[in-house]
Amino acid sequence: MAVATTNRMTGEERREHVLAAAKREFAENGYHATSTTRIAKRAGISQPYIYALFPDKRTLFLAVYDATVARVTAAFVAAAESVEGIDEKLAAMGEAYSEFLEDRVELQCQLQAHAAAAGDPDLQADIRAGFSSIWRAVAKATGADQERLVAFFAYGMLLNVGAALDLPEVAEKGC
């Protein structure tokens, strides 16, 4: 008699699977409108299992946001390391960011995090810390002064809004 084998996920794989499901739900519905029941359903698990992985919805939301911050930061740092000069580093980072603008879920996830933080003091400090860490990474990787950093991030936010709203006049300019 043959023994059936199953491809069971490890705990870490299951955690990543739940994070991916949560990312899509939070991106589509925002923090407050997303339930752990919907995340569990999308992930194909029971709701109580979410709480075995994350103590609460807030922690899960922040884990999704932290992963987004880590991806953006890594892309920026890698781009900056590929060229010399402040302006060239900022341009390379802008080019690297264009991939995030093309990923609707990634973009919505960032925007939902900022919106949630703007209206929820309980989330604001953590979301602010994540955004600030990207700011510091860009400053360190480029050596840009405050004025250039403000211009870089302001343009990035314009591109975020342009991509989210499908504004062709913004999209045509690109990074």
Side-chain angles (χ1 to χ4, degrees), residues 52-171:
L53 298 170
F54 301 92
D56 52 40
K57 183 173 88 167
R58 179 183 182 279
T59 303
L60 175 55
F61 181 73
L62 291 174
V64 168
Y65 179 68
D66 289 346
T68 298
V69 167
R71 283 188 295 277
V72 170
T73 301
F76 281 170
V77 170
E81 290 173 347
S82 70
V83 295
E84 295 294 325
I86 294 170
D87 291 332
E88 293 79 5
K89 288 176 183 292
L90 291 170
M93 288 177 169
E95 188 63 36
Y97 191 68
S98 66
E99 292 179 30
F100 290 94
L101 293 173
E102 293 171 12
D103 182 336
R104 193 83 174 159
V105 173
E106 193 78 41
L107 173 63
Q108 287 176 308
C109 203
Q110 288 183 63
L111 294 173
Q112 292 285 13
H114 297 156
D120 189 333
D122 187 45
L123 292 170
Q124 192 174 64
D126 290 302
I127 302 298
R128 179 178 48 241
F131 188 86
S132 294
S133 72
I134 297 171
W135 180 284
R136 288 188 307 276
V138 170
K140 181 178 179 183
T142 63
D145 60 22
Q146 187 77 0
E147 185 176 335
R148 282 182 172 153
L149 290 171
V150 167
F152 176 78
F153 279 92
Y155 189 57
M157 289 299 163
L158 172 65
L159 293 175
N160 280 353
V161 171
L165 299 177
D166 294 320
L167 294 173
E169 57 272 26
V170 174

